[in-house]
Amino acid sequence: MWKPDRNSKKALYEQIADHLEQRISYGEFPPGSYLPSERKLAEQFEVNRSTVISAFAELRSLGIIESRTGSGTQVSTSKWGATPKHTPNWSRFAEGGNFLPNLPFLRRIREALAQNPSLIDFASPELSADLAPTDEIATLMSRNAYTSYMGYDNPQGSTLLREALVEFLNNYRSIPTTESSILITSGSQQSLYLITQCLLSPGDAVAIEDPSYCYSLPMFQSAGLRLFRLPVDNHGIEPEDIRALYKKHRIKMVFLNPSYQNPTGTVLSEERRKRLLDIISELGLPVVEDDPYSLTSFEGVPPLPLKSMDTTGSILYIGSFSKIAAPGLRIGWMVAPRSIVERLADARQQMDFGLSIIPQLVAGQFLQSSYLDPHLERLRIQLQFKRDLLIEALEKELSGLIEYAAPEGGLHFWCKLIPNIPDAKLLEESIKKGIIFVPGSVYGSDSGYVRFTFARTKPEEIHLGIARFAKAIRELSE
């Protein structure tokens, strides 16, 4: 993100004025649109508000912007008396369409991290750089010239990667499958998008966990789906709740994250898994099983996926490279009946003509390499180490102020706050203190819950971050 150069001979306000004029000329702020407030720009550029005021004064003197008391600062629709040209109403376009924007809290978190990269990050749902197999992937890439023809690949995804996944899923997840039953996607989220857009229709009722990562994805509402909740306790959902929702609302599909669930970290018990499979088989109800975290099990023995116990072909199984290796490769997969794979592959081809071939080849080679087992073992050890540091910090800094059940795998730590503090106030105060997290209401829970993601945070920052969070809570509780 652009910042003024404090070593330049040009004054800071002049640099800011030039920068804003350039963005206006590029059409980023069309005629008639409003600029961000002076306060917001001062925070973004890390300058005093008076510096932004001087920059605005410079732009006003050139006729580029106009300010009206109580209305903000607007880009001029005419300049130096010239007849204004008609421009599209981009604000109206940005507010239109059927695909909804991210939730406000998620947009605020993204904005805060962009403005201040030094924030201690308990929000980003990804591995830190030291947990990714960077050296191993670099070695694989150096050994392979990738000189084959770089044309469009099979719409289902690279044959090499799908063949590697057949072996990987059988050996690591006890899921027997074939390469023709696998669709490669750009991460789990694209799998969910394809399912909601292609297999369901507006008005359809679906069941999701409560709380649930699915609740944070506006793609469900964008698809016009009706969401009904399945409460999660310490052993996951109660399968009989599915039967009740089916009878009352005729739900057409169930979305579950049964192993180290996001955000709660819970695991659906084995007994409940068996009952769930019996119920969906009885009702002929499909289940989407999202399984990004199970291989991070701290005990080294991951829970078996529902798909491994599925004898009726009722489970659409989603996995991802992102949470166990490298999110930047954007590799996910879906195991489904061939008719579903063909339908979704056709839809995905209309979207992007398929994924980039090189990341698929790299992922396939990594899954078949001798690097995989040592990487997974190191990943589990390091994630458990970070989780334990987080528990130590919570016990020292927030004893008596929070309740939690420590997860046995995954990347997330779910906490219930005892003080009654509105989510928005706590998030803003925490950002001021230098720490960021995700409020629980993002996932559909009531105010008063927090998700700390510890995989991205540096070990040496964990205690400091929780101490800052505790300070924010105490100041708001006074």
Side-chain angles (χ1 to χ4, degrees):
M1 180 176 289
W2 182 87
K3 295 281 194 306
D5 181 1
R6 296 182 180 276
N7 296 318
S8 172
K9 294 181 179 179
K10 181 177 281 192
L12 292 178
Y13 83 89
E14 291 179 320
Q15 294 182 53
I16 293 171
D18 289 347
H19 174 70
L20 291 174
E21 182 179 4
Q22 184 182 62
R23 292 172 71 182
I24 291 168
S25 70
Y26 288 167
E28 188 173 337
F29 296 110
S33 65
Y34 285 91
L35 294 179
S37 68
E38 295 165 352
R39 178 190 58 78
K40 192 166 187 178
L41 288 174
E43 291 177 359
Q44 180 179 326
F45 298 145
E46 298 178 356
V47 297
N48 293 326
R49 185 177 174 184
S50 59
T51 304
V52 177
I53 291 173
S54 297
F56 276 10
E58 178 76 7
L59 294 173
R60 272 195 301 273
S61 70
L62 297 172
I64 294 172
I65 63 173
E66 302 167 351
S67 297
R68 295 183 178 88
T69 304
S71 299
T73 301
Q74 190 176 22
V75 177
S76 297
T77 55
S78 61
K79 184 179 175 183
W80 305 304
T83 302
K85 298 179 179 179
H86 295 290
T87 58
N89 188 336
W90 291 117
S91 296
R92 184 173 297 172
F93 278 101
E95 294 168 0
N98 294 325
F99 200 79
L100 299 174
N102 264 320
L103 300 178
F105 275 140
L106 295 181
R107 297 201 302 272
R108 177 66 183 111
I109 289 167
R110 184 175 58 199
E111 175 190 68
L113 287 169
Q115 291 178 355
N116 184 6
S118 66
L119 285 171
I120 296 177
D121 185 1
F122 284 105
S124 299
E126 60 180 309
L127 303 178
S128 56
D130 62 302
L131 295 183
T134 307
D135 293 339
E136 294 91 332
I137 287 175
T139 299
L140 288 172
M141 295 185 73
S142 68
R143 289 177 183 170
N144 297 276
Y146 303 113
T147 55
S148 60
Y149 174 60
M150 293 295 174
Y152 294 127
D153 199 18
N154 188 312
Q156 279 186 235
S158 158
T159 301
L160 182 148
L161 176 54
R162 285 185 287 127
E163 289 174 345
L165 280 167
V166 168
E167 183 178 352
F168 169 78
L169 291 168
N170 187 57
N171 293 341
Y172 289 83
R173 308 308 298 121
S174 299
I175 298 174
T177 188
T178 63
E179 52 90 17
S180 62
S181 295
I182 296 176
L183 174 69
I184 306 301
T185 62
S186 179
S188 296
Q189 214 148 304
Q190 189 182 55
S191 295
L192 293 172
Y193 178 78
L194 290 169
I195 289 168
T196 59
Q197 290 293 320
C198 302
L199 306 185
L200 297 165
S201 302
D204 282 348
V206 300
I208 64 172
E209 295 157 315
D210 177 20
S212 171
Y213 173 67
C214 291
Y215 194 86
S216 71
L217 300 174
M219 71 172 72
F220 285 80
Q221 288 89 345
S222 297
L225 303 178
R226 293 181 295 135
L227 303 181
F228 295 95
R229 304 185 185 194
L230 298 166
V232 173
D233 62 24
N234 289 337
H235 303 287
I237 66 157
E238 173 50 62
E240 287 297 331
D241 290 342
I242 293 176
R243 190 194 304 276
L245 287 181
Y246 181 81
K247 288 181 178 178
K248 186 173 182 180
H249 301 289
R250 286 296 183 265
I251 56 173
K252 293 192 67 173
M253 193 173 282
V254 180
F255 290 81
L256 297 179
N257 174 198
S259 298
Y260 310 121
Q261 193 248 11
N262 182 6
T264 65
T266 57
V267 176
L268 184 64
S269 69
E270 184 176 353
E271 183 270 333
R272 290 189 183 184
R273 289 175 190 243
K274 292 176 180 177
R275 280 199 286 129
L276 182 147
L277 289 169
D278 288 341
I279 288 171
I280 63 170
S281 175
E282 174 191 330
L283 300 176
L285 193 60
V287 169
V288 176
E289 179 182 14
D290 190 6
D291 186 28
Y293 307 111
S294 58
L295 288 179
T296 64
S297 175
F298 302 149
E299 299 302 319
V301 182
L304 284 175
L306 293 170
K307 185 64 179 174
S308 69
M309 307 160 67
D310 177 25
T311 59
T312 59
S314 302
I315 308 292
L316 300 181
Y317 180 81
I318 294 174
S320 172
F321 211 57
S322 298
K323 309 307 181 188
I324 60 170
L329 288 178
R330 304 309 304 134
I331 298 295
W333 51 85
M334 185 191 309
V335 180
R338 182 157 187 172
S339 60
I340 297 299
V341 169
E342 290 174 350
R343 169 72 175 97
L344 300 186
D346 176 76
R348 216 273 308 283
Q349 189 177 36
Q350 295 179 53
M351 293 169 57
D352 57 16
F353 270 98
L355 305 176
S356 172
I357 187 63
I358 292 178
Q360 293 184 76
L361 295 177
V362 171
Q365 289 159 358
F366 182 77
L367 290 175
Q368 292 179 319
S369 74
S370 60
Y371 298 133
L372 179 59
D373 281 336
H375 165 69
L376 290 176
E377 179 64 18
R378 180 172 63 90
L379 176 64
R380 287 191 288 260
I381 291 170
Q382 291 300 314
L383 285 175
Q384 184 175 14
F385 175 63
K386 288 186 176 184
R387 183 210 60 175
D388 292 346
L389 288 177
L390 180 56
I391 291 174
E392 290 177 11
L394 291 171
E395 289 296 325
K396 180 175 181 181
E397 301 292 341
L398 289 164
S399 179
L401 296 177
I402 61 166
E403 297 174 353
Y404 63 84
E408 295 300 323
L411 318 182
H412 310 299
F413 205 106
W414 185 245
C415 299
K416 176 176 171 49
L417 303 181
I418 295 175
N420 184 15
I421 303 172
D423 284 353
K425 283 188 176 181
L426 182 56
L427 179 62
E428 290 301 328
E429 188 61 33
S430 297
I431 290 172
K432 290 178 184 176
K433 296 285 189 291
I435 170 189
I436 198 159
F437 61 91
V438 182
S441 56
V442 166
Y443 306 105
S445 79
D446 295 331
S447 180
Y449 287 84
V450 168
R451 191 197 77 176
F452 293 117
T453 299
F454 50 86
R456 174 74 181 267
T457 320
K458 297 176 182 177
E460 62 270 20
E461 292 181 338
I462 289 176
H463 200 121
L464 175 60
I466 297 303
R468 292 176 178 179
F469 179 76
K471 187 175 181 181
I473 285 183
R474 291 191 170 92
E475 288 185 7
L476 292 172
S477 301
E478 292 174 356

